[in-house]
Amino acid sequence: MVFGKVAIVGVGLIGGSFGLALKAAKRCGRIVGVGRGVANLELALERGAIDAFETEIGKAVTDADLVLLATPVAQFPQAVASMAKDLMPAALVTDGGSTKRDVVAAARSGLGERCAQFVPAHPIAGAEKSGAGAASADLFRGRKVVLTPLEENAPEKVRVARDVWEALGATTSLMTPEAHDALFAAVSHLPHLLAYALVGEIAGRPDAAQLFGYAAGGFRDFTRIASSHPEMWRDICIANSDRLLAEIAKFSGALRRFEKALQAKDVGQLERLFAEARAARERWLNGEYG
Amino acid sequence: MVFGKVAIVGVGLIGGSFGLALKAAKRCGRIVGVGRGVANLELALERGAIDAFETEIGKAVTDADLVLLATPVAQFPQAVASMAKDLMPAALVTDGGSTKRDVVAAARSGLGERCAQFVPAHPIAGAEKSGAGAASADLFRGRKVVLTPLEENAPEKVRVARDVWEALGATTSLMTPEAHDALFAAVSHLPHLLAYALVGEIAGRPDAAQLFGYAAGGFRDFTRIASSHPEMWRDICIANSDRLLAEIAKFSGALRRFEKALQAKDVGQLERLFAEARAARERWLNGEYG
């Protein structure tokens, strides 16, 4: 399916890459961007991710056949409400948010019955870089996109939404918003929070300079995700706070097992804990978890 | 300085790389390896990291001008004691252990007065790979090596030890064993433990396959160090358990700050915590911490 006019609300890493990839796939006519920062929108224009920009969401979505919401998730309720009256009845709305229960709620409250037009999606294609300058036509290639359809979505609408993301090179799968948020709290949101916590804790010490001075490649990779966008992660953590708190509790339990083994100097238990974790990671890298 | 005969006790990633690098720098004659696994020693021989191997440490260090200890640190007391009677009075001993208070204690108890010959060192050049097969002549190039001299070491001995490591391309610095162990508990040992704890916790769940199935690049980098050698990390954690437990306590405090902010849905505090951590990491990547 080719979309005549496309509106991208929030032209950062995800929104900009969506524009570039959609054009590369020849799946669209004109792309109009909307955003808060004019400098970023001009950069997106210059890079060809959009063809024009508007400052009002209503204007951007007027006559649009496809709308992508790609702002930080806390802005979704207002953004969805702003587009409601101008959205064409046949338009498909999808998004790039990393949480999904809040997005479903925003779709329902902002669009009412027309929430049937909104098929929520989460492209698993984050990066610690942000902004239109970091956008790439290949960002979604080979990546997974999880769609969490509303019961209001017609099957055909879901099919078209999958087709859009697959046209950008992604593979798609379906999940409930609840399952999605629980899953990503564990494998994405918690690791981000741990990385931020570690870096922040060390940065707050009087001898931070010496500590960072000896931090090496392991530390760099472990904390890479702590260079992600603070506003985006603030919103994700707030939107998914219940599941994230549950994950923190589970992780704290796991950490306590190591703590106890260390206190008891339980050599066998420590080696077992390390070996089991390494073996699981090897199975994952070997694709045994699918 | 060129060393006629060199003995490498433990020819894994560090020991094998030491041999390859020392040869590349033309700083040695013959290298004799010692180890537990014959297959690994044969691989080291084949790759040119050693010229011969022995199964007894005493035989390997006889007539050696330079000895590198590069087994997991828990084996140091026995290894040092095994070499005591055959060690030449002029020989220099150094090591590649990731903890230093225990290494100093092993040097003193195993060598007595002759501990003056042992200048402990920690090359900051770990990798999640292990064994002679992963060894590389460039492993130490551009890396830091921290030496923690004993008060028994003559300044000249320390100078020669620095020269050895610098000949392999490293930069060297001096620290007390206490300062070393405190520092690396924070920037290396704790991150390893956190990565192992996260992977192990997820691997133990009934839905581990689905969770790993959606884990992406951020998770991969965050947990890379959980593919490190379990026996090596068991030994490091036991040797440095007091400092590591102190770091776990500090980290748990940092995690509780995030937990409280999430419970209170304190948007401002969350963004502040994320932004401060990201800014610190950027300063580190920009070399502002030296």
Side-chain angles (χ1 to χ4, degrees):
Chain A
M1 190 162 179
V2 175
F3 300 90
K5 180 184 170 185
V6 177
I8 298 179
V9 183
V11 195
L13 173 70
I14 297 293
S17 299
F18 190 88
L20 288 170
L22 210 55
K23 285 193 171 188
K26 303 191 188 308
R27 291 298 194 109
C28 65
R30 191 162 160 270
I31 303 183
V32 177
V34 195
R36 292 176 300 178
V38 173
N40 182 65
L41 287 167
E42 278 171 351
L43 181 60
L45 198 62
E46 195 180 293
R47 299 201 58 209
I50 56 175
D51 300 301
F53 59 82
E54 295 281 357
T55 48
E56 280 175 40
I57 292 179
K59 277 193 185 167
V61 305
T62 298
D63 303 325
D65 306 290
L66 172 64
V67 177
L68 175 79
L69 259 174
T71 66
V73 285
Q75 294 165 41
F76 276 34
Q78 204 189 329
V80 174
S82 305
M83 71 177 62
K85 79 172 176 43
D86 298 300
L87 195 64
M88 291 212 300
L92 167 68
V93 183
T94 189
D95 76 296
S98 300
T99 48
K100 293 271 79 71
R101 288 175 301 168
D102 61 320
V103 171
V104 167
R108 291 211 171 103
S109 75
L111 294 176
E113 277 183 15
R114 296 172 62 197
C115 71
Q117 293 178 241
F118 194 149
V119 184
H122 174 198
I124 318 306
E128 76 277 20
K129 289 169 189 159
S130 47
S136 147
D138 293 323
L139 187 70
F140 309 112
R141 191 154 301 283
R143 302 303 186 91
K144 291 176 179 169
V145 174
V146 180
L147 291 94
T148 63
L150 282 64
E151 41 195 61
E152 293 88 339
N153 294 148
E156 172 61 14
K157 213 70 180 170
V158 177
R159 204 195 56 71
V160 175
R162 293 183 84 150
D163 177 62
V164 170
W165 287 105
E166 287 170 7
L168 313 187
T171 57
T172 62
S173 58
L174 304 181
M175 217 179 271
T176 66
E178 290 72 25
H180 170 279
D181 286 2
L183 195 160
F184 287 94
V187 300
S188 171
H189 308 166
L190 176 69
H192 275 81
L193 195 140
L194 297 177
Y196 278 117
L198 181 73
V199 174
E201 199 279 307
I202 288 176
R205 299 191 199 181
D207 59 345
Q210 201 196 14
L211 290 161
F212 281 120
Y214 284 95
F219 187 88
R220 188 188 58 239
D221 288 351
F222 182 87
T223 61
R224 182 176 67 77
I225 50 184
S227 285
S228 305
H229 198 281
E231 185 185 3
M232 175 183 159
W233 281 93
R234 173 200 73 185
D235 287 0
I236 289 171
C237 291
I238 290 288
N240 208 19
S241 61
D242 56 343
R243 299 307 312 219
L244 187 48
L245 283 164
E247 290 301 326
I248 293 174
K250 283 183 195 172
F251 179 79
S252 298
L255 196 53
R256 264 196 299 279
R257 280 195 289 282
F258 280 90
E259 212 173 358
K260 280 183 187 167
L262 281 171
Q263 282 161 342
K265 300 217 178 199
D266 186 340
V267 177
Q269 168 73 345
L270 272 174
E271 187 169 359
R272 199 156 45 242
L273 290 169
F274 289 146
E276 283 171 4
R278 177 162 89 154
R281 189 169 188 276
E282 298 309 308
R283 287 197 297 276
W284 173 51
L285 292 179
N286 292 336
E288 291 175 42
Y289 285 117
Chain B
M1 190 160 179
V2 175
F3 300 91
K5 180 183 169 186
V6 177
I8 297 179
V9 183
V11 195
L13 173 71
I14 298 291
S17 299
F18 190 88
L20 289 170
L22 209 56
K23 286 194 170 186
K26 303 191 191 308
R27 293 297 194 109
C28 64
R30 190 160 162 270
I31 302 182
V32 178
V34 195
R36 293 176 295 180
V38 172
N40 183 65
L41 288 167
E42 277 170 352
L43 182 59
L45 197 63
E46 195 179 293
R47 299 201 58 210
I50 55 175
D51 300 300
F53 58 82
E54 297 279 358
T55 48
E56 280 174 40
I57 293 179
K59 276 194 186 164
V61 305
T62 298
D63 303 324
D65 306 289
L66 173 63
V67 177
L68 176 79
L69 258 175
T71 65
V73 285
Q75 294 166 40
F76 276 34
Q78 205 190 328
V80 174
S82 306
M83 70 177 63
K85 80 170 173 46
D86 297 300
L87 195 64
M88 292 212 300
L92 168 68
V93 184
T94 188
D95 76 297
S98 299
T99 48
K100 294 272 80 73
R101 289 175 301 169
D102 61 321
V103 171
V104 167
R108 289 213 171 102
S109 73
L111 294 177
E113 275 182 14
R114 295 172 62 195
C115 71
Q117 292 177 241
F118 193 150
V119 183
H122 174 198
I124 318 305
E128 76 276 22
K129 290 169 189 158
S130 46
S136 146
D138 292 324
L139 186 70
F140 308 112
R141 193 153 299 284
R143 302 302 186 91
K144 291 175 179 172
V145 173
V146 179
L147 291 93
T148 62
L150 281 65
E151 41 196 62
E152 293 88 340
N153 293 147
E156 173 60 15
K157 212 74 180 168
V158 177
R159 204 194 56 70
V160 175
R162 293 183 83 152
D163 177 62
V164 170
W165 287 104
E166 286 170 8
L168 313 187
T171 56
T172 62
S173 58
L174 303 181
M175 216 179 273
T176 65
E178 291 73 23
H180 171 278
D181 286 1
L183 196 161
F184 286 94
V187 301
S188 172
H189 309 168
L190 176 69
H192 275 80
L193 195 140
L194 297 177
Y196 278 117
L198 180 73
V199 174
E201 198 279 307
I202 289 175
R205 300 192 197 180
D207 59 344
Q210 200 194 18
L211 289 161
F212 281 120
Y214 284 96
F219 187 88
R220 189 187 58 239
D221 288 350
F222 183 88
T223 60
R224 182 176 66 77
I225 49 183
S227 285
S228 305
H229 197 282
E231 184 184 4
M232 173 181 159
W233 280 93
R234 173 200 74 185
D235 287 1
I236 290 171
C237 291
I238 290 288
N240 207 18
S241 63
D242 57 342
R243 299 306 314 218
L244 187 48
L245 283 165
E247 290 301 325
I248 292 174
K250 282 183 194 172
F251 178 79
S252 298
L255 196 53
R256 265 196 299 280
R257 280 195 289 282
F258 279 91
E259 211 174 358
K260 279 183 187 169
L262 281 170
Q263 282 161 341
K265 300 217 177 199
D266 186 340
V267 178
Q269 168 72 346
L270 273 174
E271 186 170 358
R272 200 156 42 241
L273 289 169
F274 289 148
E276 283 171 4
R278 176 161 91 153
R281 189 169 188 277
E282 296 311 306
R283 287 196 298 276
W284 172 53
L285 292 179
N286 292 335
E288 291 174 41
Y289 285 117

